[in-house]
């Protein structure tokens, strides 16, 4: 017998990472959608934890996922597809939804991937040359940022690219769909009464162009020297492939006529200027000027590049809003979208049938005003929830949010998650209906009971199912 | 032209004995702004200027003691050089042109080479690294000289902290020269490194808007930007004066550093007469309209994709709410700079009002078309004077600042007090202009009743002591007299006629130690503690205060500075500034369970300003170490931090340390892009 139509949002408690199972009840059989499945590098017994989660997933879905969504290429969102691959192999998948930035054959998408790849390579190379003695705290912080890209895993192990390949190619029996913001809202397969709006990642030309090196014209792609490339060109070890050497030369700021190679300068017989001010050649003896040398300081820009890359990748997040047609209520899943992504939503409009044969326009502002569920971006960090154009526009008094954060883990990594002022504002907006992954069972219901009138508190309590492996909340359709 | 029959002594290049007097200046060509303005017809003529840099050698240099080898900091070695070395390496700076990203050095320029001397230095050239060395040297030296003139004493770089003695304690080693690396980074960045006492300049390929003025893909050298070099040099100068201002205790802390560096760079524009006249002619004397003088780092700004300069102070409408909400250091600092610039414009307008009245024959309406060149000259002279005055006010105020935890409100009070002391008769209403500009931006010091000059001045000690009972007043006077006497004796000893900077540093170093002993011995009583906010008695000390080896609360005599100034009427002010600091090691997160022992250094202290003529203590600018309110505010700031950037999410733990070393606070700061800065 069909249950009352509702959608359950289940947040798994695997650790600092996203793993959400949406189940749509009310049809002949429940429809299951998995949005992301991963946990951050450094989680204890990560593989075991993910296998555990995916096994439960399999049981809960009867071994059949109608849709798998991967919002972006960060390890804490897709590691599960590798760590629990054995279990995933036994789960049937009908559709895979990804952002347009993942689409094979899309030139823009490929250019972005190439550019990001170059930047990541530069950061990694810089890290190999960045010794432990220089700004060790910054160095450690940069290494932590790189764990989003899967760095810190055992060598030779699966990468984020492998995880995406699993979804895009290995599971070729599934239908891959690459979504663009503004495309006509569509239904979740097999579910009546839900409309899916795609809000991001931004695909507008000016936005994408800002991320890429300048071009002279559309057809002739000329590789231009950008600041990142100039930096990257200095990194590969000497004596490597010809194009690396070519790039290195191109990036020199002066004619080679002016350049005096470092070793040559420090061993000049007739002129000790460099030795006196920069110290002796390695191996020779002389006054200790180490404290003033800058051999590695230039590498620390890798820190900024790492942040920048993290930001750009987060901004390629697939952002989905699920509208419950009957009530108009919206469930918002922005992945880890950062400010730039959020700001692009206001340029996106949708045309939907309004039930009387005509159409109407829907804007992101509409959707935000009707949001009753918000999956908090980026584990509650500051930059992933836009205030003025995001959180403040969520005006529904029934707003519930879930934060896939593990504060203990974030502290180990010295990350500011969840960001206290954001948490405070969320609590105010949701009137205490904030469900954290790392909260003890029943914490959210208790907080709500204290803050809300009895009937609302009871409604919330009844809608929440808090277990040790997951917590879920039900929304009537 | 000497007649051939007269025989002149031959000029000996090696020993440099010549019959004439030493030159006062070395003329060096450079950019008033940066190379980009040389590519535009309108500005090309005025973009290249000749810097007049003090002729070096300025003083006979001696070998610098190496503290790591146990040499005493005040040891004097034999003279090592009598000319400006290649590099150039002089008295204040040493340019070492190492480019680590390219793995090479560039040949150091010899500015004493006759070919170079004869032509006012090398010709400006982006492609010749030696010109870059010349440019950074010229701009840095110009900035240093302006700073010294305003402050009235030689500039010293922040000392190098090193451990010495058993058990090891931190001590200060003299750093004679600021190091400049013109091509240190391959990055759109430049920064001052407090740990290396060095300026690191970056270079990068431009990625400008296609409709802008730059060649896309051309290399931009930050070391060729007058504004950037002046800005970074000022960070170093400020660090030399107030070492603790780089500690992020408050949203205003790093913002103040940024603002001060911008102020000096900005007002230095007004010291180029041709530029000044050109821009005044262009704006018809209205400096509040679009012009180059009120903008910073044109080329850099355009090269990273802005439509104009990196920062502009023209046309910024004051928004009192911004100071409440803006936390990002550059943006916050820009509020302070905008206030100072507005005050300058107001002063300038006051000064030139009569000229416009004359030129418009009393109608107030100027004729259309270009201004008369004589008028332009007079306006330029007034602009230059106004700029010089405002800059001097800003720099002199540094002596009237607390040693730690500076806020914009403190700085306002410092400016007003410093100026009131030096210029009793403010007939041009400079102080009012400054107060008004700050007020319009919502910058109010705490604890003042009104925004009047009188209220904003730091209270005189006499006024404070007058409130106490007579016994307390007498005790305080005794203690102060004791200290002042010691201070006078110490400073008499150091009042060498023209000590070298190394000698000056050594003298001040021992002065600090002597003051420490004097205070330790003589002062143990309540009233002195009350006035200074220090805690010197064990009994009343907070539990977490850092203590000396004798168990008493420790304090550091942070600096002793003689400060002599001449006011505009010729009156001289003979003062000495002594700053004292203390430290508590406090817990960071009170709500964290025990065992989570993150701590940070909470500092307090005071700046004492003594009048050496009367041996009176004039002012005490204090940040009490026992202030619960200040501690609470700092705790909150460190936990929530500069909340506007991605950097704050991931790099929150970086740069904060209860020890003395901070990891490159300026490097990260200058690197935030729009994307990662957040909103």
């Amino acid at each position: 017998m069909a249950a009352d139509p509702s959608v359950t949002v289940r947040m798994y408690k695997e650790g600092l990472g996203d793993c959400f199972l949406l189940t749509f009840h009310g049809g002949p059989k429940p429809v299951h959608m998995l949005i992301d499945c991963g946990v951050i590098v450094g989680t204890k017994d990560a593989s075991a934890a993910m296998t555990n989660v995916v096994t439960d997933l399999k049981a809960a879905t009867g071994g059949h996922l109608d849709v798998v969504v991967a919002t972006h290429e960060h390890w804490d969102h897709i590691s599960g597809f590798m760590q629990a691959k054995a279990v995933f192999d036994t789960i049937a998948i009908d559709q895979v939804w990804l952002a347009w930035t993942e689409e094979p054959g899309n030139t823009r998408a490929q250019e972005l991937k190439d550019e990001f790849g170059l930047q990541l390579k530069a950061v990694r190379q810089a890290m190999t040359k960045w010794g432990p003695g220089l700004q060790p705290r910054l160095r450690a912080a940069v290494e932590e940022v790189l764990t989003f890209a899967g760095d810190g895993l055992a060598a030779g192990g699966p990468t984020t690219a492998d995880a995406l390949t699993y979804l895009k190619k290995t599971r070729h029996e599934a239908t891959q769909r690459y979504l663009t913001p503004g495309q006509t809202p569509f239904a979740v397969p097999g579910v009546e009464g839900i409309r899916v709006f795609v809000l991001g990642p931004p695909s507008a030309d000016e936005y994408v162009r800002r991320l890429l090196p300048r071009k002279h014209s559309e057809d002739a792609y000329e590789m231009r020297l950008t600041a990142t490339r100039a930096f990257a060109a200095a990194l590969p070890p000497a004596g490597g492939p010809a194009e690396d050497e070519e790039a290195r030369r191109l990036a020199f700021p002066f004619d080679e006529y002016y350049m005096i190679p470092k070793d040559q300068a420090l061993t000049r017989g007739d002129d000790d200027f460099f030795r006196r001010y920069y110290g002796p050649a390695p191996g020779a003896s002389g006054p200790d000027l180490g404290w003033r040398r800058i051999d590695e300081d230039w590498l620390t820009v890798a820190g900024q590049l790492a942040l920048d890359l993290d930001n750009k990748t987060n901004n390629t997040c697939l952002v989905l809003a699920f509208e419950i047609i009957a009530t108009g209520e919206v469930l918002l899943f922005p992945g880890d979208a950062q400010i730039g992504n959020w700001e692009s939503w206001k340029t996106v409009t949708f045309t939907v049938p309004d039930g009387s044969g005509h159409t109407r326009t829907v804007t992101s502002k509409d959707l935000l005003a009707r949001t009753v569920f918000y999956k908090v971006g980026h584990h509650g960090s500051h930059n992933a929830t836009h205030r003025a154009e995001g959180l403040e526009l969520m005006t529904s008094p029934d707003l519930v949010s879930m934060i896939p954060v593990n504060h203990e883990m974030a502290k180990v990594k010295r990350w500011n998650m969840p960001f206290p002022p954001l948490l405070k504002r969320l609590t105010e907006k949701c009137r205490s209906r904030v469900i954290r992954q790392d909260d003890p069972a029943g914490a959210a219901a208790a907080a709500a009971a204290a803050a809300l009138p009895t009937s609302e508190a009871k409604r919330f309590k009844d809608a929440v199912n808090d277990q040790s492996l997951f917590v879920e909340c039900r929304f009537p359709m | 032209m000497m007649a051939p029959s007269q025989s002149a002594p031959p000029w000996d290049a090696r020993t440099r004995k010549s019959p004439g007097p030493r030159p006062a200046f070395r003329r060096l060509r450079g950019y008033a702004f940066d190379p980009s303005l040389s590519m535009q017809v309108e500005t090309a003529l005025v973009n290249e200027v000749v810097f007049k840099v003090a002729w070096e050698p300025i003083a006979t240099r001696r070998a610098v003691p190496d503290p790591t080898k146990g040499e005493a900091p005040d040891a004097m070695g034999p003279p090592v050089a009598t000319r400006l070395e290649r590099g150039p390496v002089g008295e204040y700076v040493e340019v070492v042109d190492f480019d680590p990203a390219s793995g090479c050095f560039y040949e150091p320029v010899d500015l004493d080479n006759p070919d170079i001397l004869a032509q006012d230095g090398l010709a400006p050239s982006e492609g010749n690294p030696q010109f870059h060395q010349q440019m950074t040297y010229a701009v840095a030296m110009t900035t240093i000289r302006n700073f010294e003139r305003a402050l009235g004493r030689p500039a010293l770089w922040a000392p190098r902290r090193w451990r010495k003695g058993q058990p090891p304690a931190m001590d200060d080693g003299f750093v004679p020269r600021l190091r400049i690396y013109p091509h240190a980074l391959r990055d759109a960045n430049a920064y001052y490194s407090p740990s290396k006492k060095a300026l690191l300049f970056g270079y990068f390929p431009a990625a400008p808007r296609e409709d802008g003025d730059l060649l896309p893909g051309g290399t931009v050298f930050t070391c060729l930007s007058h504004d950037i070099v002046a800005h970074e040099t000022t960070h170093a100068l400020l660090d030399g004066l107030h070492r603790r201002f780089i500690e992020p205790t408050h949203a205003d802390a790093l913002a103040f550093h940024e603002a001060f560096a911008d102020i000096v760079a900005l007002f230095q524009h007004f010291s180029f007469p041709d530029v000044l006249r050109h821009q005044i002619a262009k704006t018809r004397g209205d400096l509040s309209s679009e012009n180059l003088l009120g903008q910073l780092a044109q080329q850099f700004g355009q090269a990273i994709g802005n439509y104009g300069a990196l920062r502009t102070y023209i046309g910024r409408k004051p928004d009192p709410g911004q100071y409440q909400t803006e936390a990002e250091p550059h943006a916050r600092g820009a509020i302070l700079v905008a206030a100072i610039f507005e005050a300058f414009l107001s002063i300038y307008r006051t000064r030139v009002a009569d000229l416009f009245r004359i030129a418009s024959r009393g109608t107030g309406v100027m004729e259309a078309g270009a201004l008369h060149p004589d008028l332009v000259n007079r306006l330029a002279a007034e602009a230059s004077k106004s700029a010089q005055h405002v800059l001097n006010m800003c720099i002199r105020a540094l002596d009237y600042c607390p040693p730690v935890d500076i806020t914009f409100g403190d700085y306002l009070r410092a400016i007003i007090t410093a100026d009131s002391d030096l210029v009793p008769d403010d007939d041009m209403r400079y102080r009012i202009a400054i107060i008004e500009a700050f007020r319009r931006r919502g910058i109010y010091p705490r604890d003042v009743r009104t925004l009047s000059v009188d209220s904003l001045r730091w209270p005189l000690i006499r006024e404070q002591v007058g409130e106490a009972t007579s016994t307390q007043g007498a005790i305080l006077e005794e203690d102060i007299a004791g200290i002042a006497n010691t201070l006078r004796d110490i400073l008499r000893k150091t009042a060498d006629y023209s000590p070298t900077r190394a000698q000056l540093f050594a003298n001040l170093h021992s002065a600090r130690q002597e003051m420490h002993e004097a205070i330790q011995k003589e002062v143990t009583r309540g009233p002195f503690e009350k006035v200074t906010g220090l805690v010197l008695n064990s009994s009343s000390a907070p539990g977490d205060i850092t203590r000396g080896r004798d168990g008493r609360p420790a304090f550091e005599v942070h600096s002793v500075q003689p400060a002599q100034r001449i006011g505009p009427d010729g009156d001289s002010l003979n003062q000495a500034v002594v700053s004292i600091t203390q430290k508590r090691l406090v817990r960071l997160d009170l709500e964290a369970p025990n065992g989570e022992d993150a701590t940070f250094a909470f500092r307090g202290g005071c700046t004492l300003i003594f009048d050496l003529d009367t041996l009176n203590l004039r002012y005490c600018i204090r940040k009490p170490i026992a202030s619960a309110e200040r501690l609470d505010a700092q705790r909150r700031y460190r936990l929530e931090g500069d909340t506007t950037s991605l950097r704050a999410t991931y790099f929150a733990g970086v740069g904060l340390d209860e020890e003395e070393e901070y990891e490159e606070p300026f490097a990260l700061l200058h690197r935030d892009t729009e994307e990662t800065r957040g909103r």
Side-chain angles (χ1 to χ4, degrees), chain A residues 135 137-138 148 210 230 260 262 268 271 276-278 292-293 297 301 310-311 378 382 415-416, chain B residues 85-86 89 94 98 101 103 105 107 127 177 179 181 186-187 196-197 643 649-650 663-664 675:
Chain A
Q135 297 184 47
R137 280 190 294 277
L138 176 62
F148 283 120
R210 272 202 341 238
I260 310 169
K262 181 179 175 196
R268 268 183 176 177
D271 174 11
R276 263 191 302 127
Y277 288 102
Y278 205 76
R292 272 191 140 166
R293 287 203 206 99
D297 291 63
V301 74
D310 184 70
N311 184 58
H378 205 226
H382 166 77
W415 289 339
N416 205 354
Chain B
E85 249 194 86
R86 285 178 308 147
V89 172
E94 56 192 37
F98 178 50
F105 284 90
E107 200 69 55
R177 294 177 295 277
R179 180 164 287 203
Y181 288 109
R186 230 180 244 189
D187 188 17
K196 300 188 185 197
K197 318 293 175 203
T643 62
T649 299
Y650 288 128
E663 281 186 11
E664 301 304 1
E675 293 277 333

Side-chain angles (χ1 to χ4, degrees), chain A residues 134-138 141-142 145 148 210 214-215 224-227 230-231 234 251-254 258-262 265-266 268 271 273-274 276-278 291-295 297-298 300-301 303-304 307-308 310-311 315 338-339 343 378 381-383 411 414-417 419 421, chain B residues 85-87 89 94-96 98-108 126-129 132 160 175 177 179 181 183-187 191 195-197 200 203 205 208 210 216 221 596 643-644 646-651 653-655 657 661 663-664 671-673 675-676 678-679:
Chain A
L134 176 70
Q135 297 184 47
R137 280 190 294 277
L138 176 62
V142 177
V145 170
F148 283 120
R210 272 202 341 238
R214 299 252 141 212
K215 298 181 181 191
R224 299 281 227 99
L225 206 53
T226 61
F231 173 75
F252 286 150
F254 299 107
Y258 291 106
M259 296 169 56
I260 310 169
K262 181 179 175 196
L266 292 175
R268 268 183 176 177
D271 174 11
F273 176 84
F274 298 115
R276 263 191 302 127
Y277 288 102
Y278 205 76
W291 68 282
R292 272 191 140 166
R293 287 203 206 99
I294 53 162
D295 297 308
D297 291 63
W298 68 285
T300 60
V301 74
Q304 185 60 24
L307 279 190
D308 187 54
D310 184 70
N311 184 58
N315 274 342
Q338 304 270 342
I339 303 286
E343 287 193 338
H378 205 226
S381 80
H382 166 77
N383 215 35
K411 277 224 299 261
R414 308 184 76 138
W415 289 339
N416 205 354
M417 298 164 173
F419 181 58
Chain B
E85 249 194 86
R86 285 178 308 147
V89 172
E94 56 192 37
V95 181
V96 178
F98 178 50
D99 180 353
S102 311
C104 66
F105 284 90
Y106 303 108
E107 200 69 55
E126 290 176 78
N128 178 0
H132 300 207
R160 180 163 174 236
V175 174
R177 294 177 295 277
R179 180 164 287 203
Y181 288 109
H183 307 107
L185 314 162
R186 230 180 244 189
D187 188 17
Y191 62 90
S195 54
K196 300 188 185 197
K197 318 293 175 203
L200 280 75
Y203 61 88
E210 272 145 3
F221 294 96
E596 302 232 340
T643 62
T644 57
L646 249 194
R647 198 163 42 82
T649 299
Y650 288 128
F651 294 169
V654 172
D657 189 358
E661 296 302 314
E663 281 186 11
E664 301 304 1
R671 276 195 186 120
D672 268 344
T673 62
E675 293 277 333
T676 56
R679 303 285 181 273

Side-chain angles (χ1 to χ4, degrees), chain A residues 120-171:
Chain A
L120 182 59
K121 181 162 162 234
V123 175
R124 283 176 170 151
Q125 277 174 327
M127 296 304 284
T128 59
K129 299 172 106 141
W130 182 344
L134 176 70
Q135 297 184 47
R137 280 190 294 277
L138 176 62
R139 195 182 186 290
V142 177
E143 283 190 315
E144 292 294 2
V145 170
L146 286 176
T147 59
F148 283 120
D151 282 32
L153 295 164
T159 63
T160 51
D162 292 331
L164 282 178
T165 306
Y166 178 77
L167 290 173
K168 283 157 76 167
K169 297 222 186 83
T170 318
R171 302 303 300 255

